[in-house]
Amino acid sequence: MSKSKLLTKVREEIRRRNYSYRTEKAYRRWVIRFVKFHGLTHPLKMEKEEVVEFLNWLANERNVAASTQNQALCAIVFLYKHVLDKPLGAFDNLQRASKPKRLPVVLSPKQARRVLANMGGDARLMAELLYGSGLRQSECLRLRIKDIDFEFNQIWVRNGKGKKDRTTVLPEICKEKLKNQIKRVKLLHQKDLDKGFGKVVLPKALSKKYPNMPKEFGWQYLFPSVRRAEDPRTGKTQRYHKSSSYLHKAIKAAVSQTNIIKKVSSHTFRHSFATHLLQDGYDIRTVQELLGHKNVSTTMVYTHVLKKGGRGVKSPIDH
């Protein structure tokens, strides 16, 4: 199997399993780096030892983060298991990149409001959902019209982290803005339909099973991109959701207009959501469910943030 055939097979297997396009690009890049590291030797001619050597090099020589090494490991395991039909088994001599334990950066309620006050348009509404609903950035970007449930005051998060669905709170302050946003999307969708477009990407094989579903208004993205673009996987011209860079730049610009010196990102609003709920006395299990954490131990990190400096000890200099 040549290099081009190998990458084509990787792409086919990834798409057959309905992995995201970002995952597809990342896995292909890691396969290329792995092959280049071993002097363009075909993976079929290499064993587990060569895989461990590459992963240890990433950790020891390249000093990559633990998440980066883990992504490389997942890509190579996928290659051997699903493409080459040659499962690798356990890795005994793998040196894991260290994962430092850090507390999340959290804004105070006043700081969060100051950042939001310096934002406008779609970016502000998106940031309000991050802070008001505890959404991840990707979850917010992928919201569809049908995911907003005004009757039950909740937002449906479909296919979140770990391929799980969940519901979270719909902030009262966002309701009217969301209704106006839906009206704008409806007008945009109608213009697309009039021009012969109006389709969106659907999860799994729904578009094949229900050919007209990609044009249905309920499946349109809540925050559509300004321009239509060609889907690299199908070649069809569709309207995707806004890019992550759009929100990142808007938050960065808003923070720069304040005197906040914390490193603020879209995920900071999610951290703040969890911390402020615990601060208001909500049960940690409730917060866990709203965030979509698999284990409550992940949610427990926010209880550490709530502790006052020095574990609540009063400094003697303050007496």
Side-chain angles (χ1 to χ4, degrees):
M1 191 186 293
S2 66
K3 176 186 172 183
S4 59
K5 286 184 179 179
L6 178 67
L7 292 177
T8 300
K9 183 66 175 175
V10 170
R11 182 184 64 197
E12 290 173 352
E13 290 299 319
I14 288 175
R15 293 183 182 182
R16 192 163 67 86
R17 288 166 176 77
N18 199 43
Y19 287 15
S20 71
Y21 185 57
R22 287 180 64 181
T23 301
E24 178 184 325
K25 291 195 296 183
Y27 278 23
R28 282 166 58 90
R29 281 198 302 268
W30 282 119
V31 170
I32 292 172
R33 286 188 67 177
F34 172 60
V35 171
K36 284 185 175 179
F37 176 79
H38 287 291
L40 301 181
T41 304
H42 196 282
L44 277 175
K45 298 179 181 178
M46 293 187 279
E47 301 295 333
K48 190 188 301 182
E49 290 72 20
E50 284 81 6
V51 175
V52 171
E53 182 185 353
F54 173 66
L55 295 171
N56 287 346
W57 173 77
L58 288 175
N60 300 325
E61 302 299 325
R62 305 300 296 174
N63 295 315
V64 301
S67 57
T68 303
Q69 187 197 41
N70 191 55
Q71 187 186 65
L73 171 62
C74 290
I76 296 172
V77 167
F78 181 91
L79 169 69
Y80 277 90
K81 182 178 181 180
H82 299 296
V83 179
L84 302 176
D85 195 24
K86 186 182 175 183
L88 294 170
F91 292 88
D92 299 324
N93 301 318
L94 178 59
Q95 298 171 23
R96 291 281 187 177
S98 60
K99 187 176 183 179
K101 294 182 178 180
R102 294 194 176 97
L103 292 177
V105 176
V106 173
L107 296 170
S108 70
K110 279 187 178 180
Q111 288 175 327
R113 288 194 293 270
R114 274 163 50 202
V115 174
L116 292 172
N118 287 317
M119 300 178 72
D122 287 356
R124 173 161 182 167
L125 180 54
M126 292 164 78
E128 286 178 343
L129 290 176
L130 296 177
Y131 177 44
S133 305
L135 298 176
R136 298 179 177 91
Q137 178 183 264
S138 58
E139 293 169 347
C140 182
L141 291 170
R142 293 199 302 259
L143 283 175
R144 313 270 183 161
I145 298 296
K146 66 183 185 65
D147 295 333
I148 309 301
D149 190 339
F150 291 106
E151 296 298 320
F152 285 92
N153 294 316
Q154 64 186 11
I155 295 175
W156 283 89
V157 180
R158 313 280 184 180
N159 200 26
K161 193 172 183 179
K163 304 290 183 182
K164 295 182 295 183
D165 291 356
R166 74 177 192 279
T167 58
T168 186
V169 60
L170 172 59
E172 286 289 334
I173 198 173
C174 296
K175 279 188 174 181
E176 200 59 38
K177 296 178 182 179
L178 284 169
K179 288 177 181 177
N180 291 330
Q181 175 69 10
I182 290 172
K183 289 178 183 177
R184 287 193 291 270
V185 176
K186 192 170 184 66
L187 290 173
L188 181 64
H189 179 52
Q190 189 57 54
K191 289 180 180 177
D192 283 346
L193 290 173
D194 293 341
K195 294 178 181 177
F197 298 103
K199 288 186 176 182
V200 291
V201 179
L202 294 188
K204 298 183 179 178
L206 283 176
S207 56
K208 292 182 179 178
K209 191 174 182 180
Y210 306 103
N212 294 322
M213 191 175 280
K215 286 189 175 182
E216 290 181 9
F217 178 60
W219 280 100
Q220 303 303 306
Y221 286 111
L222 183 62
F223 299 106
S225 59
V226 177
R227 298 179 183 85
R228 293 184 296 270
E230 184 180 287
D231 188 332
R233 289 171 292 187
T234 64
K236 297 178 181 178
T237 300
Q238 299 169 319
R239 193 178 292 277
Y240 206 51
H241 57 65
K242 288 188 181 297
S243 68
S244 56
S245 62
Y246 165 80
L247 184 56
H248 171 74
K249 290 175 183 177
I251 292 174
K252 186 176 180 181
V255 173
S256 68
Q257 296 177 54
T258 69
N259 60 356
I260 299 171
I261 58 174
K262 296 176 180 177
K263 187 177 180 181
V264 181
S265 67
S266 58
H267 217 63
T268 306
F269 286 106
R270 176 173 160 89
H271 293 323
S272 303
F273 165 83
T275 305
H276 297 166
L277 282 183
L278 292 172
Q279 213 166 20
D280 290 339
Y282 286 96
D283 180 75
I284 194 167
R285 291 286 183 180
T286 301
V287 178
Q288 177 194 357
E289 289 181 11
L290 293 174
L291 292 173
H293 286 161
K294 184 177 181 180
N295 298 312
V296 73
S297 58
T298 309
T299 318
M300 286 289 290
V301 69
Y302 300 110
T303 62
H304 298 297
V305 177
L306 284 174
K307 291 179 181 177
K308 295 181 180 179
R311 297 186 176 274
V313 174
K314 189 171 184 179
S315 172
I317 199 171
D318 292 326
H319 285 296

